[in-house]
Amino acid sequence: MSLEKTKIEIIKKTLPSERVFFNFNNYPEYTQDATEEIFVPDILFFAESENDIVTAINLCRENQIPFIARGAGTGYSGGALAINGGLLLSIEKMNSIKIDTDKQTAIVGPGAITGNIMKAAESKNLFYPPDPASFEESTIAGNLAENAGGLRCKKYGVTKDYAISIRGINSRGNILEIGHASPFGLLDLIVGSEGTLIVFTQITLRLIKKPVPGDTILATFNNAVNAASVVSQITASGIVPCIMEFMDKGAIECSNQYDPANAIDPAAALLLFETDGPNAKSEAEEIIKICRKLSPVILRRAKDEAERQTLWATRRNLSHAVKHVYKTKISEDVCVPPSRLSELVAFTNELAAEFEIDINSYGHAGDGNLHVNFLGVTGSERENIEIQDGVARLFKKTLELGGTLSGEHGIGIAKKKFIKDEFDPNTLNFMKRTKTVLDPFKILNPGKIFE
């Protein structure tokens, strides 16, 4: 989209000139996100206040300009891309964090970095559990938009479980305050709506007391299905580790190549566990017993904090590692019932053996959320065809196993052509009508999810 000169002039007269830009030569990062697809907006505006957002939305509505709110651009679904041009509003400067120790809450701006919220809470002996892999970069508004989970999600839940209330702006420019007591479950409707319904301006988050730390356990296996079976047995036992992460052979090799200093001996699969709380020690012992039944190659506890951090670096750096090693990366975050995880892992192994491209996977094993990466070395047309075929077959298998197409990355533009495979026509029509009612002007993040 290329805006008419008259609309450009209106924008220039209304928005503060020092924070509005029309040339992206100095701001190329705002034309893409983690998908690395490129879409150039017409306007970039750095908001500093709620009033800035109201003004920008009113301008967009009155002039029929697409409006896209953007956090840190760490998303993998294209949710923050200006696919139809328009005004891209960055909320990164609205990053305030206020901890209320009496109420055990954090009142934060939409641009607050998730990791900074965690640190602020921990400085008061409180705890904000959701920890997506991008927590050191991603904003809380982005986490809310996608309902991000993270490594701790099995035990502690996902972002929506900690959102007490949100304040935001709708496409009419009205300020809304929505809490858990709202009729119709409006808070649950808004969280995970990928920026298509309102724009967040302030969020109140629930915090909890910082749990007593337990053990970090590493287990590797010569059979990936055995590792997935361990996950199923631990789940069946009733134990809920704080973290239970899975990495296959390709993911281990990729992490080792990226960070040789912290390399782990090659294996078909790796599991990382962490326990916490009053039963942390006994749970760790039971996890070790279950692992031993399936013949691990390595089974050990971290002896100190330094070793613990080294082990977690292997998992935390995976997203960057894959980007470093491969030219093309398509990352899908499918989710199946934990009892079916071993079947999904077996299927991804079959795909990897069949295709010439590399495929590796890792994820939050406790809730069956598997990040499957389709990876190309040359970026050739042949590789791209295999990647697209692999993604389609992965989605089909996921739905056959009773799963969902996205655990935490959202639909955005990356998966919208597949959404009809998961939802029936009546349900899809109901979602579209809901969007129309709440955004009748069709300006908020258009072209995403099902449009």
Side-chain angles (χ1 to χ4, degrees), residues 112-417:
I113 300 299
T114 309
N116 292 342
I117 297 172
M118 293 175 177
K119 291 173 186 174
E122 289 176 12
S123 72
K124 305 292 185 181
N125 202 35
L126 294 171
F127 188 52
Y128 178 67
D131 62 335
S134 62
F135 74 94
E136 293 182 335
E137 306 165 89
S138 60
T139 64
I140 190 63
N143 290 177
L144 283 162
E146 307 296 346
N147 192 23
L151 279 65
R152 302 187 186 109
C153 60
K154 175 64 175 178
K155 182 170 185 175
Y156 289 106
V158 295
T159 304
K160 73 178 179 66
D161 299 310
Y162 294 86
I164 295 174
S165 65
I166 56 175
R167 184 177 168 100
I169 316 297
N170 67 5
S171 62
R172 297 182 185 275
N174 298 325
I175 297 173
L176 308 177
E177 295 191 24
I178 301 170
H180 273 300
S182 302
F184 303 107
L186 287 181
L187 192 62
D188 284 341
L189 174 66
I190 297 300
V191 176
S193 60
E194 303 187 30
T196 64
L197 301 182
I198 73 168
V199 181
F200 303 119
T201 63
Q202 182 177 280
I203 303 103
T204 301
L205 299 168
R206 177 172 67 93
L207 305 176
I208 64 174
K209 287 291 185 183
K210 190 175 180 180
V212 177
D215 289 321
T216 299
I217 302 164
L218 167 71
T220 67
F221 299 84
N222 278 333
N223 185 307
V225 176
N226 280 3
S229 296
V230 167
V231 173
S232 298
Q233 290 187 32
I234 289 173
T235 302
S237 74
I239 296 172
V240 184
C242 169
I243 305 176
M244 183 159 53
E245 290 291 295
F246 169 88
M247 292 167 55
D248 73 2
K249 179 181 180 181
I252 297 167
E253 291 173 348
C254 192
S255 182
N256 286 348
Q257 185 174 343
Y258 178 75
D259 187 11
N262 292 323
I264 289 175
D265 291 346
L270 173 155
L271 292 173
L272 271 172
F273 306 93
E274 192 162 294
T275 61
D276 68 1
N279 300 317
K281 296 297 181 184
S282 61
E283 289 180 350
E285 292 294 341
E286 190 60 30
I287 288 169
I288 288 171
K289 287 180 183 178
I290 293 172
C291 287
R292 281 181 178 146
K293 293 178 184 177
L294 286 149
S295 306
V297 178
I298 297 172
L299 181 60
R300 72 171 190 263
R301 302 189 205 208
K303 62 181 181 296
D304 53 31
E305 181 61 19
E307 185 178 4
R308 175 183 172 276
Q309 291 298 334
T310 296
L311 291 176
W312 283 116
T314 302
R315 170 62 182 90
R316 293 284 189 189
N317 69 21
L318 264 176
S319 182
H320 293 295
V322 172
K323 281 187 177 182
H324 177 76
V325 174
Y326 292 94
K327 184 178 182 65
T328 305
K329 172 192 175 185
I330 300 297
S331 179
E332 302 298 353
D333 68 319
V334 294
C335 190
V336 297
S339 61
R340 311 297 297 273
L341 181 64
S342 60
E343 296 172 72
L344 183 61
V345 168
F347 177 76
T348 60
N349 286 343
E350 291 169 9
L351 281 184
E354 176 184 342
F355 286 178
E356 290 187 33
I357 58 168
D358 287 347
I359 300 174
N360 68 35
S361 60
Y362 53 88
H364 318 316
D367 68 343
N369 188 342
L370 195 66
H371 301 286
V372 183
N373 297 301
F374 296 85
L375 307 160
V377 177
T378 66
S380 68
E381 183 62 23
R382 179 194 60 78
E383 285 185 344
N384 291 333
I385 290 172
E386 275 204 344
I387 288 172
Q388 295 306 316
D389 181 36
V391 168
R393 289 170 62 181
L394 172 69
F395 287 166
K396 182 180 179 181
K397 185 65 175 180
T398 297
L399 295 177
E400 287 175 358
L401 293 173
T404 182
L405 300 183
S406 179
E408 57 182 340
H409 288 173
I411 301 299
I413 61 172
K415 301 179 182 179
K416 68 177 183 178
K417 73 178 181 179

